[in-house]
Amino acid sequence: MSSTLITNIGSLVTNDPSRPGLLGTVERAAVVIDGSVVTWTGAAADAPAADQRIDAEGRALLPGFVDSHAHLVFAGDRTAEFNARMSGQAYTAGGIRTTVAATRAAGDAELDANLARFVAEALRQGTTTIECKSGYGLTVADEARALRIAAAHTAETTYLGAHVVAPEYADDPAGYVDLVTGEMLDACAPHARWVDVFCETGAFDGDQARAVLTAGIKRGLIPRVHANQLSYGPGVQLAVELGAASADHCTHLTDADVSALAEGETVATLLPGAEFSTRAPYPDARRLLAAGATVALSTDCNPGSSFTSSMAFCIAVAVREMGMTPDEAVHAATAGGARALRRTDVGHIAPGARADLLLLDAPSPVHLAYRPGVPLTAAVWRAGVREV
Ligand SMILES: [Zn+2]
């Protein structure tokens, strides 16, 4: 193994709480990586020698983005649905079934290639950790297949058999919950780290969601919840009660929901790509931050309601439409995502952290919001390997 010194960094985002400011920013900084980990951070003037030297030319270096919410094992496309929605039709959870039909009909190689393409697309934009859910199979074999394929690309795999009720069970949702908590869980648990449920009108109610999550917990999976996206509901409080790592969407929250998130350990993961792509009102990030909740930002990348893999886009929207400061949005897209995945090795830059680094083609991370839509990736390292 050889060490690499990245020096002449104009602005280094460490997310190190022992340094001043939310982002623990160091100006005129340097970082040393050795193998897959960071071994040194600090002022460039104090940097130790290394085998190789890279001149960052005054640009900003930040932790690779941690995208803690994505649905990437699918086939097909929903361009027509998006086009219709942008022409005035409302979004409902039922559109998921369109992708289910296409995904079931696809071969393993097609699903794997599609997933690889999106992981690579995200990596080119600075995402070095990405979560991936099942949920477009909705049979025992198709859900297990989705997780097997996902596990070859990421450690953060999530069993989402409870995405919507499978079409075969349209008249027997209780029977579908039995399948999801029984035979399907048995087939999927070996390939998954997390269990998730879409707790929403038109998907699964509070009692059904509780059954899905508790069954998953018994099998050693850690819960996370699609909660309070389209309407008020029990999802957020259930997530906090069951110790979920994250409650995702959090668009419609009562004061009690906000208090529960602020007092509990569950991260509030906001997915502005979904509101953007459905012309829906954005979640109130300021209300959550003011209450003391931990906020993460993720893409929710999926073919129906948020077909973006760009964390930079989510940061820009969060700043413009959700009242987050640029620092808060960058923190939520890195350290926040790591918290939402209970990862201590990513989302920050400090000795011992995985060397997941994003060099921006800009002097400051503020440019992620200041220059929306502009490709700003100068280089990306994942586990110490230069990928871009
Ligand atoms: Zn989702």
Side-chain angles (χ1 to χ4, degrees):
M1 275 190 295
S2 69
S3 57
T4 301
L5 167 68
I6 306 169
T7 190
N8 196 18
I9 299 165
S11 183
L12 171 66
V13 173
T14 67
N15 288 336
D16 181 347
S18 72
R19 295 187 187 274
L22 180 64
L23 299 181
T25 303
V26 183
E27 309 290 339
R28 292 176 296 283
V31 168
V32 178
I33 62 179
D34 197 339
S36 63
V37 297
V38 173
T39 55
W40 188 90
T41 63
D46 303 332
D51 301 327
Q52 300 163 62
R53 182 180 183 281
I54 292 172
D55 186 345
E57 299 173 339
R59 292 176 289 195
L61 188 78
L62 55 156
F65 296 127
V66 180
D67 188 350
S68 61
H69 186 137
H71 307 247
L72 303 175
V73 187
F74 66 88
D77 161 299
R78 282 155 65 187
T79 310
E81 178 189 317
F82 178 80
N83 195 20
R85 193 164 65 234
M86 292 303 108
S87 308
Q89 294 176 17
Y91 174 67
T92 65
I96 291 165
R97 293 190 187 93
T98 308
T99 299
V100 170
T103 303
R104 287 178 178 179
D108 292 11
E110 180 185 349
L111 294 178
D112 187 78
N114 212 25
L115 171 58
R117 180 180 136 227
F118 291 119
V119 170
E121 179 183 286
L123 184 64
R124 284 198 300 278
Q125 300 170 88
T127 299
T128 47
T129 302
I130 193 161
E131 183 259 16
C132 185
K133 303 173 195 300
S134 68
Y136 294 122
L138 309 185
T139 67
V140 173
D142 285 308
E143 286 295 297
R145 168 172 86 142
L147 286 162
R148 223 172 32 240
I149 289 169
H153 295 271
T154 178
E156 305 300 341
T157 54
T158 300
Y159 170 45
L160 184 60
H163 199 184
V164 288
V165 173
E168 297 77 14
Y169 287 83
D171 299 326
D172 181 20
Y176 187 65
V177 171
D178 287 345
L179 182 71
V180 167
T181 58
E183 189 188 347
M184 191 186 283
L185 174 61
D186 290 340
C188 289
H191 311 292
R193 180 172 185 224
W194 307 95
V195 59
D196 195 347
V197 58
F198 188 13
C199 184
E200 186 61 63
T201 305
F204 298 90
D205 68 20
D207 290 341
Q208 292 168 327
R210 178 186 294 276
V212 168
L213 296 171
T214 53
I217 292 166
K218 279 190 193 133
R219 287 297 305 258
L221 305 182
I222 318 167
R224 46 200 320 107
V225 184
H226 280 71
N228 302 52
Q229 176 186 1
L230 305 175
S231 57
Y232 293 96
V236 161
Q237 307 247 10
L238 183 64
V240 175
E241 182 198 325
L242 295 180
S246 180
D248 295 44
H249 286 289
C250 292
T251 309
H252 295 84
L253 300 182
T254 64
D255 288 346
D257 295 333
V258 173
S259 297
L261 288 165
E263 287 157 21
E265 292 298 306
T266 302
V267 173
T269 299
L270 309 182
L271 309 164
E275 282 79 27
F276 180 92
S277 301
T278 57
R279 282 192 182 141
Y282 289 97
D284 189 343
R286 283 256 63 82
R287 185 179 176 209
L288 287 161
L289 289 164
T294 301
V295 171
L297 280 174
S298 296
T299 62
D300 193 16
C301 187
N302 78 84
S305 58
S306 181
F307 203 8
T308 180
S309 56
S310 171
M311 291 291 279
F313 168 77
C314 294
I315 288 169
V317 174
V319 170
R320 172 61 181 84
E321 301 291 338
M322 290 154 58
M324 295 178 82
T325 68
D327 281 8
E328 286 168 344
V330 168
H331 191 264
T334 51
R339 275 283 295 278
L341 291 173
R342 297 206 172 146
R343 290 281 295 266
T344 56
D345 59 333
V346 299
H348 63 117
I349 300 177
R354 200 169 84 166
D356 287 359
L357 310 172
L358 167 58
L359 183 66
L360 289 186
D361 203 4
S364 158
V366 175
H367 280 232
L368 290 164
Y370 177 43
R371 306 207 63 212
V374 177
L376 292 177
T377 307
V380 179
W381 289 260
R382 185 172 55 184
V385 177
R386 177 87 180 255
E387 301 277 7
V388 177

PDB file of all heavy atoms in Angstrom, residues 69-71 133 160 163 196 226 229 248-249 271 300 302 305, ligand 1:
ATOM      1  N   HIS A  69     -31.162   6.249   0.682  1.00  0.00           N
ATOM      2  CA  HIS A  69     -32.519   5.839   0.265  1.00  0.00           C
ATOM      3  C   HIS A  69     -32.596   5.813  -1.258  1.00  0.00           C
ATOM      4  O   HIS A  69     -32.669   6.867  -1.902  1.00  0.00           O
ATOM      5  CB  HIS A  69     -33.549   6.815   0.841  1.00  0.00           C
ATOM      6  CG  HIS A  69     -34.978   6.441   0.608  1.00  0.00           C
ATOM      7  ND1 HIS A  69     -35.938   6.550   1.583  1.00  0.00           N
ATOM      8  CD2 HIS A  69     -35.626   5.955  -0.487  1.00  0.00           C
ATOM      9  CE1 HIS A  69     -37.112   6.156   1.104  1.00  0.00           C
ATOM     10  NE2 HIS A  69     -36.944   5.801  -0.153  1.00  0.00           N
ATOM     11  N   ALA A  70     -32.589   4.604  -1.826  1.00  0.00           N
ATOM     12  CA  ALA A  70     -32.708   4.469  -3.288  1.00  0.00           C
ATOM     13  C   ALA A  70     -33.360   3.133  -3.632  1.00  0.00           C
ATOM     14  O   ALA A  70     -33.246   2.167  -2.890  1.00  0.00           O
ATOM     15  CB  ALA A  70     -31.336   4.569  -3.942  1.00  0.00           C
ATOM     16  N   HIS A  71     -34.052   3.130  -4.761  1.00  0.00           N
ATOM     17  CA  HIS A  71     -34.732   1.920  -5.259  1.00  0.00           C
ATOM     18  C   HIS A  71     -34.174   1.639  -6.647  1.00  0.00           C
ATOM     19  O   HIS A  71     -34.661   2.207  -7.624  1.00  0.00           O
ATOM     20  CB  HIS A  71     -36.239   2.152  -5.397  1.00  0.00           C
ATOM     21  CG  HIS A  71     -36.947   2.673  -4.179  1.00  0.00           C
ATOM     22  ND1 HIS A  71     -37.863   1.924  -3.496  1.00  0.00           N
ATOM     23  CD2 HIS A  71     -36.895   3.871  -3.544  1.00  0.00           C
ATOM     24  CE1 HIS A  71     -38.366   2.643  -2.487  1.00  0.00           C
ATOM     25  NE2 HIS A  71     -37.787   3.830  -2.493  1.00  0.00           N
ATOM     26  N   LYS A 133     -32.976  -0.751  -2.153  1.00  0.00           N
ATOM     27  CA  LYS A 133     -34.115  -1.518  -1.650  1.00  0.00           C
ATOM     28  C   LYS A 133     -34.623  -2.498  -2.703  1.00  0.00           C
ATOM     29  O   LYS A 133     -34.531  -2.240  -3.894  1.00  0.00           O
ATOM     30  CB  LYS A 133     -35.269  -0.567  -1.300  1.00  0.00           C
ATOM     31  CG  LYS A 133     -34.897   0.499  -0.280  1.00  0.00           C
ATOM     32  CD  LYS A 133     -36.025   1.502  -0.125  1.00  0.00           C
ATOM     33  CE  LYS A 133     -35.561   2.751   0.599  1.00  0.00           C
ATOM     34  NZ  LYS A 133     -35.053   2.518   1.943  1.00  0.00           N
ATOM     35  N   LEU A 160     -37.763  -4.598   1.108  1.00  0.00           N
ATOM     36  CA  LEU A 160     -38.984  -3.804   1.026  1.00  0.00           C
ATOM     37  C   LEU A 160     -40.071  -4.608   0.301  1.00  0.00           C
ATOM     38  O   LEU A 160     -40.694  -4.136  -0.645  1.00  0.00           O
ATOM     39  CB  LEU A 160     -38.689  -2.459   0.325  1.00  0.00           C
ATOM     40  CG  LEU A 160     -39.840  -1.452   0.222  1.00  0.00           C
ATOM     41  CD1 LEU A 160     -40.384  -1.037   1.579  1.00  0.00           C
ATOM     42  CD2 LEU A 160     -39.411  -0.217  -0.580  1.00  0.00           C
ATOM     43  N   HIS A 163     -43.692  -2.889  -0.069  1.00  0.00           N
ATOM     44  CA  HIS A 163     -43.673  -1.624  -0.822  1.00  0.00           C
ATOM     45  C   HIS A 163     -45.118  -1.251  -1.147  1.00  0.00           C
ATOM     46  O   HIS A 163     -45.592  -0.184  -0.777  1.00  0.00           O
ATOM     47  CB  HIS A 163     -42.830  -1.828  -2.091  1.00  0.00           C
ATOM     48  CG  HIS A 163     -42.347  -0.567  -2.723  1.00  0.00           C
ATOM     49  ND1 HIS A 163     -41.653  -0.548  -3.905  1.00  0.00           N
ATOM     50  CD2 HIS A 163     -42.451   0.726  -2.347  1.00  0.00           C
ATOM     51  CE1 HIS A 163     -41.350   0.705  -4.231  1.00  0.00           C
ATOM     52  NE2 HIS A 163     -41.828   1.490  -3.302  1.00  0.00           N
ATOM     53  N   ASP A 196     -37.835  -2.502   5.615  1.00  0.00           N
ATOM     54  CA  ASP A 196     -38.518  -1.228   5.374  1.00  0.00           C
ATOM     55  C   ASP A 196     -39.969  -1.533   5.036  1.00  0.00           C
ATOM     56  O   ASP A 196     -40.311  -2.661   4.639  1.00  0.00           O
ATOM     57  CB  ASP A 196     -37.819  -0.525   4.188  1.00  0.00           C
ATOM     58  CG  ASP A 196     -38.159   0.949   4.038  1.00  0.00           C
ATOM     59  OD1 ASP A 196     -39.110   1.436   4.671  1.00  0.00           O
ATOM     60  OD2 ASP A 196     -37.449   1.610   3.253  1.00  0.00           O
ATOM     61  N   HIS A 226     -40.716   4.097   5.305  1.00  0.00           N
ATOM     62  CA  HIS A 226     -41.277   5.152   4.450  1.00  0.00           C
ATOM     63  C   HIS A 226     -42.458   5.735   5.228  1.00  0.00           C
ATOM     64  O   HIS A 226     -43.508   5.095   5.331  1.00  0.00           O
ATOM     65  CB  HIS A 226     -41.803   4.566   3.145  1.00  0.00           C
ATOM     66  CG  HIS A 226     -40.766   4.283   2.110  1.00  0.00           C
ATOM     67  ND1 HIS A 226     -39.850   3.277   2.215  1.00  0.00           N
ATOM     68  CD2 HIS A 226     -40.520   4.907   0.913  1.00  0.00           C
ATOM     69  CE1 HIS A 226     -39.080   3.273   1.134  1.00  0.00           C
ATOM     70  NE2 HIS A 226     -39.459   4.246   0.332  1.00  0.00           N
ATOM     71  N   GLN A 229     -45.292  10.377   3.954  1.00  0.00           N
ATOM     72  CA  GLN A 229     -44.946  11.008   2.675  1.00  0.00           C
ATOM     73  C   GLN A 229     -46.130  11.757   2.069  1.00  0.00           C
ATOM     74  O   GLN A 229     -46.022  12.940   1.753  1.00  0.00           O
ATOM     75  CB  GLN A 229     -44.450   9.965   1.660  1.00  0.00           C
ATOM     76  CG  GLN A 229     -44.175  10.596   0.276  1.00  0.00           C
ATOM     77  CD  GLN A 229     -43.831   9.597  -0.809  1.00  0.00           C
ATOM     78  OE1 GLN A 229     -43.800   8.393  -0.564  1.00  0.00           O
ATOM     79  NE2 GLN A 229     -43.564  10.075  -2.000  1.00  0.00           N
ATOM     80  N   ASP A 248     -38.278   8.031   6.680  1.00  0.00           N
ATOM     81  CA  ASP A 248     -37.964   8.654   5.401  1.00  0.00           C
ATOM     82  C   ASP A 248     -39.191   9.318   4.777  1.00  0.00           C
ATOM     83  O   ASP A 248     -40.271   8.723   4.778  1.00  0.00           O
ATOM     84  CB  ASP A 248     -37.401   7.602   4.447  1.00  0.00           C
ATOM     85  CG  ASP A 248     -36.064   7.043   4.934  1.00  0.00           C
ATOM     86  OD1 ASP A 248     -35.957   6.748   6.138  1.00  0.00           O
ATOM     87  OD2 ASP A 248     -35.146   6.894   4.121  1.00  0.00           O
ATOM     88  N   HIS A 249     -38.991  10.477   4.261  1.00  0.00           N
ATOM     89  CA  HIS A 249     -39.950  11.413   3.654  1.00  0.00           C
ATOM     90  C   HIS A 249     -40.338  12.490   4.662  1.00  0.00           C
ATOM     91  O   HIS A 249     -39.987  13.630   4.496  1.00  0.00           O
ATOM     92  CB  HIS A 249     -41.198  10.727   3.074  1.00  0.00           C
ATOM     93  CG  HIS A 249     -40.913  10.004   1.799  1.00  0.00           C
ATOM     94  ND1 HIS A 249     -40.647  10.654   0.634  1.00  0.00           N
ATOM     95  CD2 HIS A 249     -40.822   8.672   1.514  1.00  0.00           C
ATOM     96  CE1 HIS A 249     -40.415   9.773  -0.325  1.00  0.00           C
ATOM     97  NE2 HIS A 249     -40.500   8.563   0.184  1.00  0.00           N
ATOM     98  N   LEU A 271     -36.422  13.701   1.248  1.00  0.00           N
ATOM     99  CA  LEU A 271     -36.188  13.242  -0.115  1.00  0.00           C
ATOM    100  C   LEU A 271     -36.822  14.230  -1.095  1.00  0.00           C
ATOM    101  O   LEU A 271     -37.859  13.962  -1.702  1.00  0.00           O
ATOM    102  CB  LEU A 271     -36.803  11.840  -0.274  1.00  0.00           C
ATOM    103  CG  LEU A 271     -36.381  10.827   0.801  1.00  0.00           C
ATOM    104  CD1 LEU A 271     -37.316   9.617   0.809  1.00  0.00           C
ATOM    105  CD2 LEU A 271     -34.955  10.363   0.602  1.00  0.00           C
ATOM    106  N   ASP A 300     -33.910   9.152  -3.030  1.00  0.00           N
ATOM    107  CA  ASP A 300     -35.095   8.314  -3.291  1.00  0.00           C
ATOM    108  C   ASP A 300     -35.096   7.852  -4.740  1.00  0.00           C
ATOM    109  O   ASP A 300     -36.163   7.634  -5.335  1.00  0.00           O
ATOM    110  CB  ASP A 300     -36.389   9.076  -2.958  1.00  0.00           C
ATOM    111  CG  ASP A 300     -37.623   8.177  -2.904  1.00  0.00           C
ATOM    112  OD1 ASP A 300     -37.465   6.942  -2.813  1.00  0.00           O
ATOM    113  OD2 ASP A 300     -38.746   8.711  -2.954  1.00  0.00           O
ATOM    114  N   ASN A 302     -35.713   6.391  -7.953  1.00  0.00           N
ATOM    115  CA  ASN A 302     -36.626   5.331  -8.391  1.00  0.00           C
ATOM    116  C   ASN A 302     -37.316   5.810  -9.658  1.00  0.00           C
ATOM    117  O   ASN A 302     -37.377   7.010  -9.919  1.00  0.00           O
ATOM    118  CB  ASN A 302     -37.646   5.011  -7.273  1.00  0.00           C
ATOM    119  CG  ASN A 302     -38.750   6.044  -7.184  1.00  0.00           C
ATOM    120  OD1 ASN A 302     -39.739   5.982  -7.902  1.00  0.00           O
ATOM    121  ND2 ASN A 302     -38.584   7.037  -6.311  1.00  0.00           N
ATOM    122  N   SER A 305     -41.279   8.169  -8.778  1.00  0.00           N
ATOM    123  CA  SER A 305     -41.548   9.443  -8.107  1.00  0.00           C
ATOM    124  C   SER A 305     -40.322  10.319  -7.926  1.00  0.00           C
ATOM    125  O   SER A 305     -40.455  11.458  -7.457  1.00  0.00           O
ATOM    126  CB  SER A 305     -42.175   9.174  -6.733  1.00  0.00           C
ATOM    127  OG  SER A 305     -41.322   8.381  -5.942  1.00  0.00           O
TER     128      SER A 305
HETATM  129 ZN    ZN B   1     -38.518   5.291  -1.286  1.00  0.00          ZN
END
